[in-house]
Structure formats: structure tokens, C-alpha cells
Amino acid sequence: EVQDDGTGFSPRSAHQRGFGLTGMRERAAALGGSMKIRSEPEKGTRIRITFPLPPDPKHDHSSHHSSVEHLPAA
């Protein structure tokens, strides 16, 4: 996430300025991620790119049986 308190812009006009933000969005999508832009003129801009984490094989318990331990009532 990147944020500033600069002049901001209209996100609708961002595609008319060049390929910078479009390229960022396409790169994020190519890696399974997404990009969100929040900006208002004179109020700054926030760009957030998120990516899903791959499953951790060390913590994959899908093939293990789970057990429940019942504790006596207090």
C-alpha cells in the first residue's frame, strides 16, 4: 500500500495519462493479485495491491485426521 497527501486525481482520468497504473494493475493480475486506487483531487491518493499467499505445505492439515479432546466440565 502506498499513500500520499498530494494533489490527487480522478481515478477515471488515470487511464488517459499513460500506462503506469494500467501496467501496475496488469502485473498484479498476472500474479493473481488485485489493485485498488482511491484518490480525490486535493486530498491525496492511496494505491493498494494485494496478493494471495500460497498454501504453506508445512501447515497443510487437510490430509490429517483431526481429533477433538473433551474436557471435563468445571
Side-chain angles (χ1 to χ4, degrees):
E1 182 173 291
V2 178
Q3 181 174 339
D4 71 18
D5 60 352
T7 59
F9 60 91
S10 169
R12 295 177 212 250
S13 69
H15 300 291
Q16 299 168 359
R17 292 182 168 188
F19 295 105
L21 293 174
T22 300
M24 289 171 59
R25 187 181 305 276
E26 289 174 355
R27 287 180 179 95
L31 295 171
S34 63
M35 183 172 97
K36 294 182 181 181
I37 301 170
R38 174 178 271 176
S39 184
E40 292 183 49
E42 306 304 323
K43 294 190 178 182
T45 302
R46 176 183 293 172
I47 299 173
R48 176 180 287 175
I49 299 176
T50 57
F51 297 99
L53 293 176
D56 185 351
K58 293 184 287 186
H59 294 98
D60 181 14
H61 300 292
S62 62
S63 63
H64 300 288
H65 297 288
S66 63
S67 62
V68 177
E69 182 179 338
H70 294 281
L71 299 175

